[in-house]
Amino acid sequence: MSKGQMSKGQPIRVLCVDDHAIVREGLMSIVALQPDMEIVGAAESGAEALKMFREFSPDVVLIDLRLRDTTGFELIRDILALSPSARTIVLTSFEGDVDIERALAAGAKGYVVKGMVREELLEAIRDVHAGKRHVPSAIAAKLVDHLASEKLTHRELDVLKEVSKGKRNKEIGAALSIAEDTVKMHVKSILMKLGVNDRTEAVTIALRRGIIHLQ
Amino acid sequence: MSKGQMSKGQPIRVLCVDDHAIVREGLMSIVALQPDMEIVGAAESGAEALKMFREFSPDVVLIDLRLRDTTGFELIRDILALSPSARTIVLTSFEGDVDIERALAAGAKGYVVKGMVREELLEAIRDVHAGKRHVPSAIAAKLVDHLASEKLTHRELDVLKEVSKGKRNKEIGAALSIAEDTVKMHVKSILMKLGVNDRTEAVTIALRRGIIHLQ
DNA sequence: GAAAAAATAACCCATTCGGGTGTATGGGCT
DNA sequence: AGCCCATACACCCGAATGGGTTATTTTTTC
């Protein structure tokens, strides 16, 4: 790892990971214009990203949360396993507080939403390269909004995913090999934790917050 | 309109409309590399797009469906109202059959999904500029899959949107100023047309197919 | 102007749902 | 050992839901 003694004159070496060619292209063209940065690679999958990370040891890695062969969360963990001092920034269109929380928990140093102004991204890259965290206040605010809200347990998540498929409690019980009454218990808990009236609103709120995703 | 006698030597003049700076940047950099194309403008809102369209009379307009101040559907209609021979291509991440159908119904000549390969987009631009339609078979297949499925009526859509908020039939009735029994009638019809078991699945299927969108 | 489609409303009825309360078991942390 | 928490199960009950049928009025379409 040749990051410790990086002098001010050397450009920030950036790797970007996104399965959309347009986004990779856009990132490259934005970053390439900065005199203090350079793109060392653009990967379209997690596997390719890891290969490029090993090969180029970039200073900063930009990562989308949705990838073809893995998730951004997993990729961040994989990269940190290779190099614990790696600096990663999530660049995604997901804005749910749970997505943000999971990304930061996985070890991301920054979280930037696609659709922000160009400067926000560049600032994030410079901050994170300098060892700082960079989470825009609008993003941080979403986390704060749900600080008090209880997290769903693993089992509740299982149930919620089945609920989103339109299954009845009885069917969910059969699918998860538990009693219908247990399912009802979980559903009640889910509704309470999410602060909603019924299972349908539970699903839409969960989608909005990034607790579950379609497909 | 100086499009009729466009000679082969002149580049295809492209306008792109997307509220994400990264995507605009990516499009510009992809198109700029093509010898037979040039970007004449990049708008980040519908209003700006119309202004640029009037100013530059581009040969082809690339349009995202989600814009800050309007929708892609509306923008396509607005552009066609200005210039009935305008050629527009939808470039979006929405893949629901209803999104596709609405876009083509609005007058789009092409429909390309973000995340396709670079060549797909370039081919679409050339095809559409040449007066052809360009809808990739994967996209067309989604339309075909739902050819038989009945469309929801306007009122059913109103009800479905309320359902997605977690409202009860009684509350929906109050919101729409109709009897609860009428709401139940609409809900029954919705479930039948979408081929689902309950209101929750109706919402997730509707989201997937682009019949409704969150927020 | 007639025919078709959509919107409205009212029944019935079995099932499901949401809310309340209580109990039990097995990890994990202190 | 004691405690918390997740998980699992049971029972009660009123309200909401989904399915079936019929009918009137309005709107759209041909």
Side-chain angles (χ1 to χ4, degrees):
Chain A
M1 254 108 297
S2 61
K3 264 173 229 130
Q5 63 279 8
M6 170 72 66
S7 80
K8 282 167 194 170
Q10 291 186 312
I12 306 174
R13 302 174 65 251
V14 178
L15 170 65
C16 78
V17 190
D18 196 301
D19 57 347
H20 289 23
I22 293 187
V23 175
R24 290 197 304 276
E25 211 63 55
L27 283 172
M28 289 172 71
S29 109
I30 288 175
V31 172
L33 286 176
Q34 302 308 116
D36 59 339
M37 299 180 190
E38 71 175 356
I39 291 276
V40 296
E44 56 181 317
S45 70
E48 197 185 355
L50 282 173
K51 193 170 135 256
M52 286 186 171
F53 184 85
R54 277 200 202 86
E55 192 175 341
F56 303 124
S57 309
D59 298 316
V60 175
V61 190
L62 299 175
I63 303 176
D64 192 3
L65 288 183
R66 162 120 52 189
L67 298 170
R68 245 188 293 284
D69 57 344
T70 180
T71 65
F73 312 118
E74 272 310 309
L75 180 57
I76 292 171
R77 275 188 280 268
D78 289 346
I79 287 176
L80 286 175
L82 278 179
S83 164
S85 62
R87 286 161 186 171
T88 55
I89 298 174
V90 169
L91 175 63
T92 190
S93 50
F94 295 111
E95 302 187 43
D97 62 289
V98 175
D99 288 319
I100 301 167
E101 199 200 336
R102 287 182 67 192
L104 297 178
K109 301 294 187 297
Y111 197 107
V112 185
V113 180
K114 285 176 188 170
M116 77 291 141
V117 288
R118 197 186 268 88
E119 287 69 31
E120 183 76 62
L121 171 64
L122 296 172
E123 207 180 296
I125 294 176
R126 292 193 183 99
D127 278 356
V128 169
H129 176 248
K132 289 183 272 187
R133 293 191 158 274
H134 187 98
V135 179
S137 56
I139 295 292
K142 298 204 178 202
L143 278 181
V144 174
D145 280 350
H146 296 284
L147 264 188
S149 68
E150 285 182 274
K151 289 187 193 82
L152 299 189
T153 67
H154 181 58
R155 206 52 167 165
E156 285 162 358
L157 265 182
D158 290 342
V159 171
L160 183 55
K161 283 172 191 162
E162 298 297 322
V163 168
S164 77
K165 295 179 195 162
K167 286 191 183 168
R168 287 180 265 279
N169 290 338
K170 193 182 293 186
E171 296 173 316
I172 296 174
L176 301 181
S177 303
I178 54 180
E180 182 183 356
D181 274 324
T182 306
V183 175
K184 292 179 72 171
M185 199 73 244
H186 286 309
V187 171
K188 271 181 264 193
S189 178
I190 292 168
L191 300 187
M192 205 189 57
K193 287 183 179 178
L194 297 185
V196 297
N197 292 318
D198 69 13
R199 57 217 285 124
T200 303
E201 195 182 5
V203 169
T204 55
I205 292 292
L207 286 171
R208 247 197 280 269
R209 294 189 47 193
I211 296 173
I212 59 173
H213 296 281
L214 281 184
Q215 277 182 37
Chain B
M1 257 101 303
S2 60
K3 263 172 230 131
Q5 63 279 10
M6 173 72 65
S7 79
K8 283 167 195 171
Q10 291 186 312
I12 306 174
R13 303 173 64 251
V14 178
L15 170 65
C16 79
V17 190
D18 196 301
D19 57 348
H20 289 23
I22 293 187
V23 176
R24 290 196 304 275
E25 211 62 55
L27 283 171
M28 289 172 72
S29 113
I30 289 175
V31 172
L33 286 176
Q34 301 308 114
D36 60 337
M37 299 180 189
E38 71 176 356
I39 290 276
V40 296
E44 56 182 316
S45 70
E48 197 185 355
L50 282 173
K51 194 170 133 256
M52 286 186 170
F53 184 86
R54 277 200 201 87
E55 192 175 341
F56 303 123
S57 312
D59 298 315
V60 175
V61 189
L62 299 176
I63 302 176
D64 191 2
L65 288 183
R66 164 119 54 190
L67 297 171
R68 245 187 293 284
D69 58 342
T70 180
T71 65
F73 312 118
E74 271 311 308
L75 180 56
I76 292 170
R77 276 187 279 265
D78 290 346
I79 288 176
L80 286 174
L82 279 179
S83 163
S85 61
R87 285 158 188 177
T88 55
I89 298 174
V90 169
L91 174 63
T92 190
S93 50
F94 296 110
E95 302 187 42
D97 63 290
V98 174
D99 289 318
I100 301 167
E101 199 201 335
R102 287 183 66 193
L104 297 179
K109 300 295 188 296
Y111 197 106
V112 185
V113 180
K114 286 176 187 171
M116 77 290 137
V117 288
R118 198 188 269 86
E119 288 68 31
E120 182 77 60
L121 171 63
L122 296 172
E123 207 181 296
I125 295 175
R126 293 194 184 97
D127 277 358
V128 169
H129 176 249
K132 289 183 273 186
R133 293 191 159 273
H134 186 97
V135 180
S137 54
I139 295 292
K142 299 203 179 205
L143 278 182
V144 174
D145 280 350
H146 297 283
L147 264 187
S149 68
E150 286 184 273
K151 290 188 194 81
L152 298 190
T153 66
H154 181 57
R155 206 53 166 164
E156 285 163 356
L157 264 182
D158 290 341
V159 171
L160 183 55
K161 282 173 192 163
E162 298 297 323
V163 167
S164 76
K165 294 179 195 162
K167 286 191 183 168
R168 287 180 263 279
N169 290 337
K170 194 182 293 184
E171 295 172 317
I172 297 173
L176 301 181
S177 303
I178 54 181
E180 182 184 356
D181 275 323
T182 306
V183 175
K184 291 179 72 171
M185 198 74 242
H186 287 309
V187 171
K188 272 180 266 194
S189 178
I190 292 169
L191 299 187
M192 203 189 58
K193 288 183 178 177
L194 297 185
V196 297
N197 291 317
D198 67 14
R199 56 216 286 123
T200 304
E201 195 182 5
V203 169
T204 56
I205 291 293
L207 287 171
R208 247 198 280 272
R209 293 189 48 193
I211 297 173
I212 59 173
H213 296 281
L214 282 183
Q215 275 182 35

